[in-house]
Amino acid sequence: MVNVTIDDRMQQAEAGELVVDLINRVGGTIPQVCYHPQLGPVQTCDTCMVEVDGRLVRACAAEAADGMRVSTKSAAASAAQEEAFDRILSNHLLYCTVCDNNNGNCTVHNTTKLLAIEHQKIPFRSKPYEVDNTNPFYRYDPDQCILCGRCVEACQNVEVNETLSINWEDPNPRVLWDGGSTIGESSCVSCGHCVTVCPCNALMEKTMLGHAGFLTSIKKSALKGMIDVVKGVEPETGYGAILQVSEAESKMREHRIRKTKTVCTYCGVGCSFDVWTKDRHILKVAPEHGPANGISTCIKGKFGWGHINSEDRLTSPLIREGKTFRKASWDEALTLIARRFTELKAKHGADSIGFISSSKCTNEESYLMQKLARAVIGTNNVDNCSRYCQSPATVGLFRTVGYGGDSGSISDIHQADLVLIVGSNTAESHPVIATRVKSSHKLKGQKLIVADLRENEMARRADLFFSPKPGTDVAWLSAVSRYILDNGLAKTEFLAKWTNGFDEYRKSLEPFTMEAASRICGVPVETLTKVAGMIAEAKNVCILWAMGITQHTQGSDGSTAISNLLLITGNYMRPGTGAYPLRGHNNVQGASDHGSMPNMLPGYQLVTDPEVRQRFETAWKVKLPSSKGLDNHQMVDAIHAGKLKSMYLIGEEMSIVDSNANYVGDGFSKLDFFVVQDIFFSETCRFADVVLPGAPSLEKEGTFTSTERRIQRLYEVLEPLPGCKPDWRITQDIANRLGAGWKYQHPSEIMDEIASVTPLFAGVSYERLAGYKSLQWPVAADGTDEPLLYTKRFAFPDGKARLFPVSWIGPTEVPNAEFDLHLNNGRLLEHFHEGNLTYRTEGIREKTPDVFVEVSPELAEERGIQSGTWVQLISRYGKVRVRALVTDRVHGHELYMPMNSVESPVNRLTSSHTDPVTNTPAFKETSVHMNVLAEVGESPLPRNNSRFGHPTPQNGVEVERKWKRPDYHTPGNGNGLVQIQTRK
Ligand code: SF4
Ligand code: SF4
Ligand code: SF4
Ligand code: FES
């Protein structure tokens, strides 16, 4: 700590703390237009000038030092601040009363007030550029742009999409997209970082424009007239009086604009943000305080909310009548469900009914679903879609370290010295986690290795990228481990102190020489040796993996091999290290955590353990089934076998998301009674007997658990549409019709019950999760959580990790003469899975209207294909018709098809082969034959997709270039004080 005097008062500061942060912390007030704590010092605006020991400095760039004397209001500092802000106003037309950004948080407005500006010395000067409206989600108004560069800093160094820059050398600088493209045709991925940090109305969400203010929907011509009137009176009245009017208008807005915290409904990163609404209109998503994301989001979280007010939301229960459905009352639908479940249970037994929980629903809803299955119906036939993705990773971690979740936090990934990404398209599937890797790689020297079939964005950024043949990861991971051990590069002390099973594991590595792995994987020995060397050398290593590992017949073994590699290199137990299986859905972690699994009660407690069952039986006052139930894959087999007669499925598009979709659909059509609960009439609803209208995340309360085991609260942003109900209420209604007598009034009561029966969540409560507070499980009864696991011990009785031997078996399905191409599949940045939610956002449809199959330039030439050529893909299980996209992201005979289609879902092609340990389908082991059709259409990816842009990487806003302009001088120089620039 150091002592610093601020305006004659002694303050304690941490050495190195920015003076601006110190001033803000102790309640001082200085202008600071370009400074944003999450961006750091941008140093473009000069409004934060303070006097330090007789010299003028930028408070945002100066670090606190012992004995420093800071004056924020000396004559020199005040003059400099005003001069700097006058320059800002010359770039910005103040028309606050009719501005959609007049919401109390506009930095330009607030600074005008803070400095009590009455008149501008430098008049406003319009810039010779048009407003750019070419992005579907936001617009840029150059005339309002104060050139603070926050947006550039965010795009270049936080999101690291590297689209934005400012042409400082130009007589009329402005923000540029790809150096001068329109926004629509640039590399902009519509993540919204720039819009979120813009301190004024230069960048604004289109959903705000004309909607936020009372007078902002007026016509442009009228607006101009009003602005002219205001400007006309300004010389006489001064800004003070004018601002009073706009302040009154802003105050009025407080009564009609609601700001409600929620958690993103899409991927497992767990971004949280405020949603601004006016009635049911979503004005904007405002990320700032989220513990996982701060100011970050991706296109889906920032702009992908068209599904909420979509006209085709289900708003009434539906009951099948022959081949169609008719609307029904809730009472009729619930009565029918209760009658049919009761009849089927009586006739065929409790195990003739299966339950599928939703990874989009809340923890509380998942808990109630498994409670309904077990305590009310009496079966353990309950599962969730983690079966399709994360179960193998969970097993790999259960086998080796003890907990089935990420071993640390996103901040650990951010601070690692080396990140290895295996089989994960992180930049598209977990975009905000990708930003942390991209920024550490760009700015902090973090090393990046990527192993993937496709040359995705992370692969292109990597220091080392290689493509093992599909399904061979166990071989190279084990060979790298063996090489590290053979060459004395392993952390032997760590191994001795913290692991069991070394000898057996060491023996299991015998077949995995570098040469053998090279043969199996098709990767040169030199590359694998380099990978081993980089991992062994790095101080702290994180490994990230996803479906490229888990959706293989050796998904569990691949995940185990990753954890083994981390153990032998000592990369657990410290910040910046560990295992990160990236969870796909917003709450896929929570769905399993809360017991929607056929073998586990909440908190991963085995249904076969009598002591565990006893605890739940006491709490629930029922006798519980004691043998493991069917998982979702087995349920489909059981329908075909005539054993499973009925299902209740919530919020899952299982008929096309499960592998071998034709087989799944056939199964569903054989069910005696099928209840599907969703917010839209999904493909799966087509097989239902009763459809129930649930509520999307914005219309309910509850908690989600993200990939980093972070439990976060979501609040009700909007009331459920009339006719819909939060899913927990519906499940409770069904349970009660079956005689359960549940009386939950609010999800917090469900969470209290969860905490009371689940040691993993013993200290979880809604109070401890209030607002933006969060907890990363395990949570002890006193509320202590564990952002980083295993800091003291591994989660086994003796506290030691277990090296777990694995052998290489190889993929079940490889290309042959008939099915000669390997088909890979996965997500697309803009869409979530099959697109049921994201297609309902018009701008997303505009950027990515359709599915496609990626074809390599080599294959395109060989088969006479161009982007837009229609092809038919035929596998052993089905066929789809789809347009080709020729791209060098794939190589040779490798195809890639994203999942975003209901009409041509890739899972019509995938098989029923599974990882035998978890029953997770080997989605990624699919071979196809491709018929090139005569028809050639437009490219399936429009030219305005970000992929066709040309980024302009640079280190942030490059303010030094501004300082070199001949017309630039630091404000305050005229006072004879010395200007110093302290740090960037
Ligand atoms: S990618 Fe686009 S939306 Fe995201 S920060 Fe850059 S310019 Fe803004
Ligand atoms: S558009 Fe960028 S440079 Fe212009 S005011 Fe907004 S954040 Fe600052
Ligand atoms: S989809 Fe994922 S990365 Fe995008 S905003 Fe939502 S949680 Fe964040
Ligand atoms: S806040 Fe803009 S230069 Fe310091």
Side-chain angles (χ1 to χ4, degrees), residues 135 138 150-156 158-165 175-178 183 186-197 203 297 299 302-303 946:
N135 181 284
Y138 69 94
R150 279 192 191 184
C151 56
V152 180
E153 197 73 16
C155 186
Q156 289 283 346
V158 180
E159 155 70 6
V160 198
N161 204 56
E162 301 172 320
T163 301
L164 297 185
S165 59
V175 176
L176 299 175
W177 277 253
D178 285 2
I183 307 176
S186 74
S187 58
C188 170
V189 291
S190 305
C191 64
H193 282 73
C194 55
V195 192
T196 293
V197 298
L203 282 168
T297 44
I299 176 173
K302 178 79 181 173
F303 298 114
S946 59

Side-chain angles (χ1 to χ4, degrees), residues 431-711:
V432 166
I433 289 182
T435 66
R436 304 316 190 234
V437 177
K438 290 193 285 185
S439 74
S440 291
H441 185 250
K442 178 175 179 177
L443 305 169
K444 296 185 186 161
Q446 183 180 75
K447 293 275 178 275
L448 176 62
I449 304 176
V450 172
D452 205 288
L453 293 180
R454 267 172 100 224
E455 204 171 321
N456 57 34
E457 183 188 341
M458 300 314 276
R460 288 190 175 162
R461 289 180 178 273
D463 299 288
L464 182 57
F465 163 57
F466 62 103
S467 285
K469 285 184 198 161
T472 63
D473 298 288
V474 168
W476 72 263
L477 286 161
S478 300
V480 164
S481 296
R482 176 179 161 163
Y483 180 93
I484 287 171
L485 286 164
D486 285 354
N487 289 278
L489 302 171
K491 293 283 181 294
T492 42
E493 263 181 50
F494 181 94
L495 281 169
K497 188 167 176 199
W498 290 111
T499 63
N500 288 319
F502 179 77
D503 292 339
E504 207 190 328
Y505 170 67
R506 185 80 180 83
K507 200 153 171 283
S508 74
L509 292 178
E510 263 170 28
F512 297 109
T513 61
M514 282 295 194
E515 291 69 25
S518 171
R519 263 194 319 277
I520 294 168
C521 307
V523 179
V525 167
E526 302 72 55
T527 305
L528 295 180
T529 311
K530 200 163 170 208
V531 172
M534 285 173 75
I535 293 173
E537 262 171 38
K539 213 166 134 215
N540 297 311
V541 177
C542 288
I543 304 185
L544 282 47
W545 74 102
M547 311 303 105
I549 285 283
T550 58
Q551 291 179 337
H552 282 284
T553 28
Q554 279 202 280
S556 296
D557 291 344
S559 304
T560 308
I562 286 172
S563 191
N564 285 336
L565 174 57
L566 286 165
L567 284 170
I568 65 157
T569 51
N571 278 302
Y572 274 114
M573 309 185 95
R574 292 189 317 280
T577 65
Y580 298 84
L582 302 178
R583 308 310 203 185
H585 278 272
N586 56 325
N587 200 37
V588 71
Q589 179 73 49
S592 294
D593 292 348
H594 291 81
S596 284
M597 297 172 91
N599 57 339
M600 311 258 202
L601 281 147
Y604 302 98
Q605 306 182 80
L606 290 169
V607 295
T608 46
D609 182 334
E611 187 278 319
V612 168
R613 268 201 325 278
Q614 174 69 56
R615 187 151 26 91
F616 279 88
E617 283 172 350
T618 308
W620 292 348
K621 301 184 181 60
V622 291
K623 192 87 191 133
L624 289 175
S626 58
S627 55
K628 176 183 171 300
L630 300 174
D631 62 43
N632 45 17
H633 211 68
Q634 291 165 331
M635 285 184 211
V636 176
D637 285 340
I639 304 170
H640 281 284
K643 291 182 184 149
L644 198 81
K645 304 288 184 188
S646 179
M647 283 177 82
Y648 173 29
L649 173 150
I650 301 183
E652 289 293 331
E653 186 56 299
M654 189 166 158
S655 70
I656 54 172
V657 164
D658 198 352
S659 196
N660 199 354
N662 289 331
Y663 178 71
V664 179
D666 283 352
F668 285 164
S669 59
K670 292 179 184 162
L671 283 167
D672 285 359
F673 186 64
F674 190 17
V675 181
V676 177
Q677 189 166 308
D678 211 315
I679 59 170
F680 295 108
F681 193 86
S682 65
E683 277 297 290
T684 308
C685 288
R686 291 196 301 115
F687 301 95
D689 296 287
V690 179
V691 175
L692 300 173
S697 61
L698 295 196
E699 294 178 5
K700 59 190 170 191
E701 306 245 327
T703 59
F704 289 153
T705 304
S706 69
T707 189
E708 49 177 358
R709 298 170 282 105
R710 189 184 295 281
I711 310 167

Side-chain angles (χ1 to χ4, degrees), residues 20-87:
V20 69
D21 287 338
L22 171 61
I23 293 169
N24 292 341
R25 185 163 59 74
V26 301
T29 47
I30 54 161
Q32 43 196 291
V33 173
C34 72
Y35 182 65
H36 187 297
Q38 291 180 50
L39 299 174
V42 179
Q43 298 188 82
T44 52
C45 77
D46 294 338
T47 59
C48 64
M49 290 290 186
V50 290
E51 206 175 318
V52 174
D53 302 327
R55 299 187 300 178
L56 278 182
V57 299
R58 296 183 183 91
C60 68
E63 291 177 3
D66 206 23
M68 204 179 214
R69 300 184 65 82
V70 179
S71 169
T72 67
K73 294 184 174 43
S74 71
S78 298
Q81 291 166 7
E82 276 172 36
E83 185 183 343
F85 191 63
D86 211 44
R87 292 180 200 167

